[in-house]
Amino acid sequence: MLISLTVGKVDAGVAVLLTEDNRLIEFPSILLPPNISSGSIVDITVARNQAKEAASQKAFASLQNEIYTTFGQRSPSPPVLRCRNATQTSVVLEWDPIQLATAEMRSLSLFRNGSKAGGIPRPTETLATKISGLAVDTEYVFHLVLRTSAGTYSSDKITIKTHKMTDLSGITVTPGVLPAPLRDSLQAAVERIGAKLVDTVRLDTTHFVCTEGRGQAWERAVETNIPVVRPEWVEGCEREGRIVGVRGYYLNADPRLRQVGQGVGLQRQDSQPSSPQVNQRPSSQASTSQRALPLHVQQGSRQDLASPPPPPPTTETPNITQSPSVATADGADETDRPPALPVKDHPSTVHLPEPKTATEEPKMRKEDRDQVAKAVQSTESISSGEGHQGAVTPTTMVSREDEGERTPEGAESFTEVSL
């Protein structure tokens, strides 16, 4: 197809061409013949290249097929999670290698009971992890979440229950330096309690048993914070029927730190005869009643039990002169009582306490004065009825304001009045 065009304007990169019907066409000036200026007429031939068009379509189809084969037929696989071992307070989880296909890894996270527990370091290399600090005899739900450039994939949820203290099946023992007979007895004890025995230190190893701290296995156990104990620890678990503490079974631990389990303690307690409760009740009641009494009463009762009974009263006793305002054992003054009769007329002997000084005598209360007067009157009536000689001094009372007492006139105290 031949077309004639008129050059209208020529710039550095683009030339303006005019058609016969005065239409403007921008045309690259580099494709025009040299020495072209405004007003020049050029002929342009236009034709379709069928061969090159077919080759281009074939190359494009091959590229599309390659992209589909590489990225369209395979996709990342969801992780497969399972439990390797469980103990009283820890769980060891493992999974198959992650299949990413052609996608790129973003992250791999572990979830516990619906909450994110943490990310897995080096997810393309790490195939197991250990979760510690769990509660005893408790169920937990775990699952993995894989994030890639092709999308997010989640594993199936698994439910794991930690063991009870009496379940020893989760114990995994790795033996270290041991004598041959001791190693055989250790293997037999591990089989009896239902535990596992492995030759190398692994992620699920719970205890490292040896008698000497040396060797590569011992160093790896120390680096990974695995308890290093003596073979007696396995025997202690078998004897108690439950997992026991490792504090008393370390290589350098004192054997006296090994605590006896509750089962053994109960057996020892049951073997001892128990005393009957009937013999204990009187002592507890006596101690209760003894605590209820004052201290001086308790001491007095003890002295009464320890001392012999008093001798019988004598008939001949010298005359005793009473001291003024003598305090008795019950806390009252002797002046509160009526005066004592002569010894020869009294049916029994009167034992008076030691006289006290005037500073120790308590003051007489005002309401006791009437009792003193009545006591004097009763004394006069007794003396006159029995025919005793001697006159009684007048009972005119003289008040002592400084001591709060009333004594007969002309006498030092009431007890000096002649009867």
Side-chain angles (χ1 to χ4, degrees):
M1 180 179 181
L2 181 63
I3 300 174
S4 297
L5 300 173
T6 303
V7 178
K9 181 180 178 181
V10 178
D11 289 335
V14 178
V16 178
L17 304 180
L18 298 176
T19 62
E20 294 179 356
D21 54 354
N22 297 325
R23 294 178 182 276
L24 298 179
I25 299 175
E26 291 183 352
F27 194 81
S29 59
I30 193 172
L31 298 179
L32 296 177
N35 300 325
I36 293 298
S37 61
S38 298
S40 300
I41 297 176
V42 295
D43 293 334
I44 299 176
T45 302
V46 179
R48 181 178 180 182
N49 194 340
Q50 298 288 343
K52 289 198 174 184
E53 183 178 348
S56 176
Q57 292 180 354
K58 184 178 180 180
F60 179 77
S62 176
L63 178 61
Q64 293 291 331
N65 187 26
E66 183 180 358
I67 292 175
Y68 174 77
T69 303
T70 304
F71 300 99
Q73 293 182 352
R74 294 185 303 132
S75 62
S77 301
V80 179
L81 182 65
R82 57 181 174 270
C83 176
R84 179 190 295 181
N85 187 30
T87 64
Q88 282 74 15
T89 58
S90 64
V91 172
V92 177
L93 302 176
E94 62 180 3
W95 53 89
D96 295 337
I98 302 299
Q99 301 294 334
L100 296 175
T102 57
E104 295 181 358
M105 172 74 71
R106 294 287 186 263
S107 65
L108 181 63
S109 304
L110 178 65
F111 284 74
R112 179 179 66 187
N113 294 337
S115 301
K116 185 177 179 180
I120 304 300
R122 302 186 304 275
T124 56
E125 301 175 4
T126 305
L127 300 178
T129 185
K130 183 176 182 179
I131 301 95
S132 303
L134 304 180
V136 179
D137 194 20
T138 305
E139 287 188 354
Y140 294 92
V141 179
F142 297 95
H143 73 280
L144 287 174
V145 174
L146 174 64
R147 292 182 174 86
T148 66
S149 58
T152 302
Y153 303 88
S154 178
S155 67
D156 295 335
K157 296 182 180 181
I158 59 174
T159 302
I160 304 173
K161 186 175 183 180
T162 55
H163 293 178
K164 298 180 180 180
M165 297 300 292
T166 56
D167 188 358
L168 305 179
S169 60
I171 298 177
T172 304
V173 176
T174 299
V177 178
L178 290 171
L182 197 56
R183 180 183 290 268
D184 296 339
S185 62
L186 174 64
Q187 183 176 1
V190 169
E191 293 177 356
R192 286 194 300 269
I193 65 177
K196 296 182 289 294
L197 187 68
V198 295
D199 296 333
T200 59
V201 177
R202 306 186 310 188
L203 184 63
D204 57 340
T205 299
T206 58
H207 297 83
F208 186 83
V209 179
C210 65
T211 55
E212 299 180 11
R214 58 186 177 87
Q216 295 182 355
W218 172 79
E219 293 178 356
R220 178 170 175 78
V222 173
E223 291 177 358
T224 54
N225 294 326
I226 296 176
V228 180
V229 297
R230 296 184 59 85
E232 290 80 4
W233 179 81
V234 180
E235 298 176 357
C237 294
E238 181 182 7
R239 180 178 61 254
E240 301 297 335
R242 61 190 296 273
I243 187 169
V244 297
V246 298
R247 181 180 179 183
Y249 295 91
Y250 290 134
L251 296 182
N252 56 351
D254 188 357
R256 293 176 295 181
L257 297 178
R258 301 172 186 174
Q259 299 180 357
V260 179
Q262 185 178 3
V264 177
L266 291 176
Q267 293 177 2
R268 293 182 178 177
Q269 185 177 0
D270 295 341
S271 61
Q272 297 178 359
S274 59
S275 59
Q277 299 180 358
V278 180
N279 298 334
Q280 298 178 359
R281 291 182 179 176
S283 61
S284 60
Q285 294 178 359
S287 60
T288 304
S289 60
Q290 190 75 5
R291 288 195 300 268
L293 297 177
L295 179 60
H296 66 276
V297 177
Q298 296 179 16
Q299 295 177 354
S301 62
R302 294 174 182 174
Q303 294 177 0
D304 295 342
L305 294 176
S307 60
T314 58
T315 56
E316 296 182 2
T317 306
N319 295 332
I320 301 176
T321 303
Q322 298 178 354
S323 61
S325 182
V326 179
T328 59
D330 56 357
D333 294 341
E334 189 66 25
T335 55
D336 298 343
R337 306 177 185 274
L341 297 176
V343 176
K344 62 182 180 178
D345 297 331
H346 202 277
S348 62
T349 303
V350 179
H351 300 279
L352 297 178
E354 294 291 335
K356 298 183 179 180
T357 59
T359 57
E360 297 178 355
E361 298 175 0
K363 295 183 179 181
M364 180 182 294
R365 296 174 296 182
K366 184 177 180 180
E367 56 269 22
D368 295 336
R369 296 175 181 174
D370 297 337
Q371 297 181 4
V372 174
K374 293 179 181 180
V376 173
Q377 293 177 3
S378 62
T379 305
E380 289 180 338
S381 61
I382 293 172
S383 301
S384 60
E386 293 180 353
H388 291 285
Q389 295 181 359
V392 180
T393 53
T395 59
T396 303
M397 309 300 290
V398 179
S399 174
R400 292 186 181 181
E401 297 178 359
D402 57 342
E403 294 182 359
E405 299 179 356
R406 296 175 64 88
T407 59
E409 183 177 4
E412 289 296 329
S413 64
F414 173 72
T415 56
E416 294 182 0
V417 177
S418 58
L419 301 178

